[in-house]
Amino acid sequence: GSATSNNSRLRGLTVVGINALVGRLTMRDGSPTGTVRFDQDIPASSPLIVLYIPDAGIRFENGIYVSCPTSVTLNLLYDGGP
């Protein structure tokens, strides 16, 4: 679903896969059909994954739309929109 609704820059994230399911984390620009800006496999029962995105981060002009399994705990570090 929508994490932000305005111009945002993703600076980093934390991910925890809390069960044995393997999943995929996809972030799109603004909507479920927007341009894919970030796409990553999430290993089954993964420990804490911390990712910092250098320099200016990843820009999402229309907000950050996230798709991931419900078994994943995700925290986004971003600048911009609410």
Side-chain angles (χ1 to χ4, degrees):
S2 293
T4 68
S5 58
N6 295 318
N7 186 14
S8 303
R9 287 191 182 272
L10 182 65
R11 302 294 186 160
L13 53 95
T14 62
V15 181
V16 178
I18 58 175
N19 68 22
L21 297 176
V22 174
R24 187 155 198 87
L25 170 61
T26 303
M27 293 185 219
R28 295 176 179 267
D29 189 14
S31 74
T33 58
T35 302
V36 173
R37 300 281 187 210
F38 183 90
D39 195 39
Q40 179 68 46
D41 284 327
I42 302 168
S45 300
S46 35
L48 178 66
I49 298 169
V50 178
L51 175 66
Y52 293 101
I53 300 168
D55 300 321
I58 301 172
R59 184 173 180 209
F60 293 80
E61 293 179 10
N62 301 299
I64 302 172
Y65 186 89
V66 178
S67 299
C68 66
T70 57
S71 62
V72 168
T73 300
L74 172 68
N75 292 301
L76 300 180
L77 308 169
Y78 65 90
D79 295 332

